Amino acid sequence: MVRPPCCDKDGVKKGPWTPEEDLVLVSYVQEHGPGNWRAVPTRTGLMRCSKSCRLRWTNYLRPGIKRGNFTDQEEKLIVHLQALLGNRWAAIASYLPERTDNDIKNYWNTHLKRKLQGGGDGDGGAAGDAVSPKPAAQRPASSSKGQWERRLQTDIDMARRALREALTSLDDVKPPHQPDAANAAAGGGGATTGAAASAGADSPAASSTSGASQCSPSSAGYVLTTENISRMLDGWARKKGGGGGRRAAGSGPATPGATESASGSSEASEVSYGGTALSAAAAPASAFEYETKPTVTAAAAADAADETQLSAIESWLFADADGIESGSLLDAAMDYTF
DNA sequence: AACCGCGTCAACCGCACACTG
DNA sequence: TCAGTGTGCGGTTGACGCGGT
């Protein structure tokens, strides 16, 4: 029963990923889709552990990832969800599809935790409690099907409440067409995947089983794919260019606004690594074909998707405010998702 | 200018769960 | 039913950058 390590320690490279490795991984995923991570090192020749590959993909290379600079909405949402769900970062991340669980976890540990501790019993007292090991919802040790369903229902309920609170409290702050929080819920079928995620299966949208393809195949995802890759390439360029940081797209260069808008910039469109010139536009544009996506104008499609999904999510979120039995929530959620 | 301490975050590790034969 | 394998998750670590002295 002794389980061998996921990878033998010999000959396995550790530490920061190089741009070249990233490229190899990206092109592999582009060709085969995410999953079957075990095969990745052997097929690609990467001297990396399969887990490392998966992690790199989910936390860094996966399309649609936003890095750095958490907005107020996101921050509050995280605080709310953490208070409700505890340190179930994957479940929390499923409500913020653009964020990875690792990112959220780091942000919590470095910013929010301290902030809440320092601020005394600040927002949502439970948040202070969040630091305590007894969150409102603990993952049960085991669950029968009935229990599972109950827990799913509970989780949906709690998360929905948290989202609603967060959205409500931020409503006035929110710019007209900035579906941040709601988008977080809607994106990638956030609500449902989130539900599923928190439902013990804990396989959130953010999870990578089929990474991008698990996200709703909206063109928004595609846009973000392109953005993401060029951002990545941009990061590499800067890194190589002597920014000095070891991070490709992390904190360093990133005034997030700048980074995000940089995606389309010509600056990012062509970079060279060790003499190899790459066209950022070319690579990602054809990349991720396994993600079914229309080649529509990105922004337009994203907007459309956002709007429809947002309204669905909103109606779901605010449903019980209208007196809808919570018993139907699961059905509603299921209907919405599947 | 050099040193030091702290904050941040990417990556690693180990455990648990899900799936499959 | 059980063992083996693959994957996901959360906690932790270590390297790097930055600000203060």
Side-chain angles (χ1 to χ4, degrees):
Chain A
M1 272 287 265
V2 178
R3 206 178 152 175
C6 71
C7 45
D8 44 11
K9 306 290 179 190
D10 298 333
V12 174
K13 191 179 170 194
K14 289 185 182 180
W17 281 65
T18 66
E20 290 78 13
E21 287 175 312
D22 280 343
L23 267 184
V24 170
L25 183 56
V26 165
S27 52
Y28 174 85
V29 174
Q30 161 191 345
E31 199 175 336
H32 299 93
N36 195 14
W37 296 108
R38 188 84 173 181
V40 174
T42 52
R43 286 189 172 189
T44 60
L46 283 171
M47 305 300 284
R48 292 279 180 175
C49 168
S50 57
K51 285 175 80 168
S52 186
C53 294
R54 182 179 60 81
L55 218 59
R56 182 64 179 174
W57 171 258
T58 51
N59 287 337
Y60 202 90
L61 302 174
R62 183 166 58 93
I65 291 180
K66 195 163 88 184
R67 310 193 60 79
N69 283 48
F70 281 71
T71 65
D72 283 349
Q73 285 97 328
E74 289 172 318
E75 194 172 299
K76 289 211 168 192
L77 195 57
I78 291 169
V79 169
H80 276 276
L81 289 170
Q82 205 282 341
L84 286 170
L85 301 173
N87 294 355
R88 291 162 67 180
W89 306 116
I92 294 172
S94 68
Y95 292 91
L96 295 154
E98 293 179 333
R99 303 289 187 180
T100 68
D101 53 352
N102 206 37
D103 221 12
I104 293 173
K105 181 172 59 183
N106 279 333
Y107 189 68
W108 172 265
N109 286 330
T110 57
H111 295 85
L112 299 178
K113 199 164 157 184
R114 193 175 310 124
K115 196 188 273 187
L116 290 170
Q117 277 171 338
D121 46 7
D123 177 332
D129 177 30
V131 187
S132 91
K134 298 276 179 200
Q138 278 289 13
R139 185 198 302 233
S142 66
S143 53
S144 71
K145 185 144 192 176
Q147 288 171 331
W148 184 87
E149 281 175 358
R150 263 196 298 280
R151 194 177 57 177
L152 171 62
Q153 181 59 66
T154 308
D155 276 352
I156 290 173
D157 219 7
M158 287 192 309
R160 200 168 57 102
R161 210 178 314 138
L163 265 175
R164 195 175 53 232
E165 282 171 29
L167 288 175
T168 305
S169 66
L170 291 164
D171 234 14
D172 42 2
V173 187
K174 199 164 111 184
H177 196 306
Q178 201 216 17
D180 250 332
N183 183 29
T192 21
T193 36
S198 46
D202 277 349
S203 60
S207 83
S208 60
T209 331
S210 54
S213 53
Q214 209 172 50
C215 298
S216 88
S218 72
S219 48
Y222 175 58
V223 173
L224 287 167
T225 297
T226 314
E227 259 185 7
N228 212 44
I229 298 297
S230 41
R231 201 180 310 154
M232 177 176 81
L233 294 170
D234 183 40
W236 291 346
R238 288 169 200 258
K239 192 164 59 175
K240 289 271 178 177
R246 76 172 164 55
R247 289 163 193 132
S251 48
T255 50
T259 345
E260 250 139 80
S261 59
S263 58
S265 77
S266 56
E267 178 194 1
S269 64
E270 191 167 281
V271 283
S272 69
Y273 310 111
T276 313
L278 297 170
S279 163
S286 61
F288 310 108
E289 282 162 354
Y290 58 89
E291 295 177 69
T292 49
K293 74 276 172 179
T295 44
V296 200
T297 322
D303 283 352
D306 280 349
E307 254 173 35
T308 52
Q309 296 206 357
L310 177 57
S311 60
I313 282 294
E314 278 178 340
S315 60
W316 176 70
L317 276 176
F318 291 92
D320 77 345
D322 298 338
I324 292 178
E325 283 283 327
S326 83
S328 62
L329 291 178
L330 180 57
D331 295 339
M334 293 300 187
D335 285 345
Y336 175 68
T337 338
F338 309 116

